[in-house]
Structures are given as C-alpha cells and as structure tokens.
Amino acid sequence: MPRINEVATSPPHVADLWRSAASAIGSHKPGDDRVMARHSQLPPRQHGPTPRAGVPNASTATQPKPYTPSRRPQPSPSSAPAKPKDPMRFRNVPLILGMTTSLVLAYYLSTVYMGYKADSERAATLDVPADPSARYNQTFQSYDADVDSLEWIMGIKRLRAKLCARATGHVLESAVGTGRNAQYYPLDEHRINSVTMVDKSRFMLDKARLKWPKDGNAWFIKASFRHLDMVNEPVPRPMDSGTRTNVTDSDEFKTDFGGFDTAVQTMGICSTGEPEKLLRILGKAVADSQAKEGGQILLLEHGRSYYDWLNKMLDGIAPAHAERHGCWFNRDVGKIVEESGLEILEEKRYHFGTTWWFVCKPGKGIMAEKIAVEDSKGAATESQTGHKTWWRPW
C-alpha cells in the first residue's frame, strides 16, 4: 500500500492497483507478477487528449490543487507585537496619593488647631505692648529660617519681587528687617540712584547689610543703612553724593522732609505702636520728590481678613503671636492707610484678604503741610537776611 503522503501527492501506480485488486479477490497467480512487473515499468497513463505546448490541459486545469497547509513564519521574540497595556494597572496610585494627602492635611490641621487652642488660652494672661519690635533683638538670628518656607508657600516672595520692581530714583525702605527685599530691587536696570535702609533693630540691620548684593551694577548703587526710629526721629535725606556707607547715626542727613522718590515698606505696620504716624512720615519722605510722576509709597502688609470667622481667630491668638514674634497681625491695614493721609492709587488683597498690597502717594494734607513748612522757612530767612525770596512778592 502506498504511504499516506504519496497518495496525497501523486496518483497510484498501475502495479499497485493490480496487486490490490488481485489480493482482494484471492486469485493471485505467479504469472501475474510478470504482468505487474511489465505494467510497473510503464509510465502513468495520461487521461484525455495529449496537451500541446503552450496550451493547458483542460482535464487537469479544472482539477483543484491538493490542500497543503500554509506555513507562516513564526515571529521572532524581538518582533513580537507588544501586548496592550492595561489601563487599570495604576488604579491604586490615585488611591494611595489621596490617602497620603488626607493624612498630611489632617495632621497639619490638627497641629494648627492645637496650637491655636494653646495660644488662645495663653493670650488671656499676656500683657504685650503695642510696639513689640524689641522682640526682634532676640529673634534676629532665626528670623529668616522661621518665615522663609511660609513666605515661599504663600507666594510672599513673588509679591515682594513684584513690589520692589516698581521702585525708582532714590529709594527709602522702612522696617527693612533682615533685608529680605535687597535681592528684588532692579539694580541692573539703571532706574535706582540710591537705597537707604532704616530699622530700629541694629541686629536686624547688620544682617540686612550682609545681604546687599556685592556684584554687578549693585556695586555702583549708593547704599546706606540707618539705625533709627522713623516715628520719633526726623526723616533722613537720600545719598546724593559720596561713597557707599554702612550703619550710621549721623544727623547731617536728617530733615523734616526727605527728597526720596520711592518709599518701600513690607510687613512693618504690624510692628510699630503708631502705624498711622509712620505712614504719614513715609508720605513726607517722598513729598519733595523731583520725579515727573511724583513720589510713591509701596506697601505690602498683613492684617485683618474679609471674613469675620477668620478675624475672630486672629484676634484670639494675636497677643501670643505678638509676644513670640513681635507682630500684631490682626490690625485693620486698610483703615490705617486711609487715616494716615496717603492717597491710595492701587489696592489688592490676597490670602482671604489678610495680605494687603498698596501703591500710594502723599495726600493733600501732607502736601499742604510741606508748603506750610517751606513758607515758614522762607519767612525765617527773610527775617534773618532782610531779603524776600523770589516766590514771595509781598
């Protein structure tokens, strides 16, 4: 019998057919082997007409080709298509992040609440003066470390930079502290002629002097650091000539009205006992400005909020905060500015209204006082010399 693969690929031989038929009927004889041998030497018979060259055989053309299974090349491991990613493989990540955030927030709020409760109980027994600025003589070393992270989180540093970028001409900065604004003045834009920094604490002022830039155009800016109380001492004059100076208490720079073009104060209202008077003095410091637009006062302060519930919280812990940090952070900054005699040009508030931004100029009352002072000086000059000044025809 032919093998299976031979049956599938070629027609059965005549001898094989003969042998199969003879064995089936049981009439195989020895002489039949000669016949089968003769037929086995004959080529397979072609059925149908003999095909001509170039013309396909019609009988074979219509026969279907035997089935042969296709053998597709197996892809190599490197060329195998990537399995689709499961979109839910990271489904636990949001859950973990949410739980972590909730735990951190809960810990922070519980810490704030416990601190608030402790400060509220302690505030009832404290007697803190209205001017707690002496506290900075004890906290000057750790002051920057205490407020740096909080100012970065709340965006106070960005507001400082935005405020100081508007300074021009001769600049006076009151309540300079440790000099946290020194890096934000546009010293390389040739818009600032001099910077005078004033603070009541000599220790804080020494740290501010070390922060003043030492390279670039800052070296050519006249910088002065004055240890004085702006509320109880005359307004200093800007440095019109001379070289860079450090801390000085010289009286030769002091007068009733300063000739500054810009007055800057950040977080200073909270640390003085007479905030209205301090702002009025800043208005006087720029009242004699020679700038085309006139003098300007730039303020960045913190105080009361829009919301009563938050103001009650600030009032509850304000004495403890002032005793620890030297700052009354529950003052009504808007009311203080209005009562100081300054004219408000711009006003913005941030952080639930607790951070106040002001751009002001001297009000009419300050300018009238300046004119009265000039008139009194002119009258005194006339009485001493007997000559009238050119603006007084009578």
Side-chain angles (χ1 to χ4, degrees):
M1 293 295 292
R3 291 190 298 270
I4 296 176
N5 58 349
E6 292 178 352
V7 174
T9 56
S10 62
H13 201 270
V14 174
D16 294 333
L17 294 175
W18 190 291
R19 186 180 292 108
S20 298
S23 61
I25 61 176
S27 59
H28 177 68
K29 297 180 179 180
D32 295 337
D33 292 336
R34 293 191 299 271
V35 177
M36 289 187 293
R38 186 176 67 253
H39 283 284
S40 63
Q41 296 177 0
L42 296 176
R45 181 180 179 181
Q46 299 291 339
H47 299 278
T50 303
R52 291 176 295 175
V55 179
N57 189 350
S59 61
T60 58
T62 58
Q63 295 179 358
K65 294 182 179 180
Y67 170 76
T68 55
S70 61
R71 296 182 180 179
R72 298 180 180 178
Q74 296 296 329
S76 61
S78 59
S79 63
K83 295 182 179 180
K85 295 182 179 180
D86 183 9
M88 300 298 292
R89 66 189 184 281
F90 297 127
R91 58 184 177 272
N92 293 330
V93 174
L95 180 61
I96 296 174
L97 292 178
M99 293 179 62
T100 304
T101 304
S102 301
L103 290 175
V104 172
L105 184 60
Y107 174 77
Y108 174 75
L109 293 178
S110 62
T111 304
V112 170
Y113 174 76
M114 289 186 294
Y116 168 76
K117 186 176 181 180
D119 287 344
S120 299
E121 295 174 355
R122 193 165 64 92
T125 62
L126 295 176
D127 185 14
V128 184
D131 185 356
S133 57
R135 182 66 178 169
Y136 292 113
N137 292 331
Q138 286 79 40
T139 62
F140 70 95
Q141 291 184 341
S142 62
Y143 179 79
D144 286 330
D146 293 340
V147 303
D148 194 69
S149 299
L150 184 61
E151 286 198 355
W152 180 81
I153 293 173
M154 298 182 64
I156 299 297
K157 290 186 175 182
R158 179 180 58 83
L159 295 178
R160 287 179 182 271
K162 185 178 178 181
L163 187 77
C164 294
R166 304 184 64 156
T168 58
H170 296 285
V171 180
L172 169 67
E173 183 176 348
S174 173
V176 65
T178 60
R180 298 184 64 81
N181 295 329
Q183 59 180 320
Y184 300 125
Y185 287 112
L187 302 179
D188 294 332
E189 299 180 11
H190 306 285
R191 295 194 291 113
I192 292 181
N193 299 326
S194 69
V195 179
T196 301
M197 299 185 176
V198 178
D199 199 274
K200 292 174 62 176
S201 172
R202 183 181 293 273
F203 301 101
M204 301 283 275
L205 198 63
D206 288 341
K207 294 196 70 174
R209 178 166 52 88
L210 295 176
K211 289 183 180 179
W212 184 255
K214 303 296 190 301
D215 54 356
N217 193 57
W219 178 255
F220 302 97
I221 301 295
K222 302 178 180 68
S224 175
F225 300 84
R226 312 289 179 83
H227 175 224
L228 57 86
D229 184 0
M230 289 281 294
V231 175
N232 299 316
E233 300 183 51
V235 180
R237 297 288 299 181
M239 296 183 62
D240 295 327
S241 60
T243 58
R244 293 165 56 95
T245 63
N246 293 331
V247 180
T248 177
D249 297 325
S250 176
D251 292 332
E252 62 180 342
F253 295 107
K254 299 173 183 177
T255 181
D256 292 330
F257 285 84
F260 293 95
D261 302 303
T262 304
V264 179
Q265 181 170 275
T266 57
M267 313 303 173
I269 288 180
C270 60
S271 302
T272 179
E274 301 176 85
E276 295 88 354
K277 183 178 179 181
L278 175 60
L279 294 184
R280 189 172 184 86
I281 291 173
L282 293 180
K284 291 169 125 183
V286 299
D288 199 22
S289 171
Q290 302 300 316
K292 181 178 180 181
E293 299 82 5
Q296 60 176 347
I297 303 98
L298 308 177
L299 304 174
L300 180 63
E301 305 288 348
H302 59 175
R304 300 187 75 77
S305 169
Y306 294 123
Y307 307 102
D308 293 336
W309 62 268
L310 184 53
N311 291 331
K312 291 180 181 179
M313 293 181 61
L314 295 177
D315 293 339
I317 62 177
H321 184 83
E323 191 271 338
R324 183 183 299 113
H325 301 288
C327 165
W328 289 98
F329 62 0
N330 64 331
R331 289 178 172 173
D332 191 345
V333 179
K335 182 178 179 181
I336 292 173
V337 174
E338 291 177 358
E339 294 179 353
S340 66
L342 300 180
E343 181 180 344
I344 300 174
L345 302 178
E346 296 181 27
E347 178 181 352
K348 299 177 184 178
R349 298 178 71 175
Y350 307 90
H351 311 127
F352 299 101
T354 58
T355 302
W356 302 66
W357 159 295
F358 289 101
V359 177
C360 308
K361 70 176 184 179
K364 295 180 180 179
I366 296 176
M367 299 305 296
E369 184 179 351
K370 172 181 175 292
I371 295 174
V373 171
E374 291 177 348
D375 289 344
S376 62
K377 288 183 178 180
T381 302
E382 291 176 11
S383 63
Q384 293 177 1
T385 61
H387 299 285
K388 296 181 179 181
T389 55
W390 64 270
W391 68 82
R392 293 176 60 88
W394 57 86

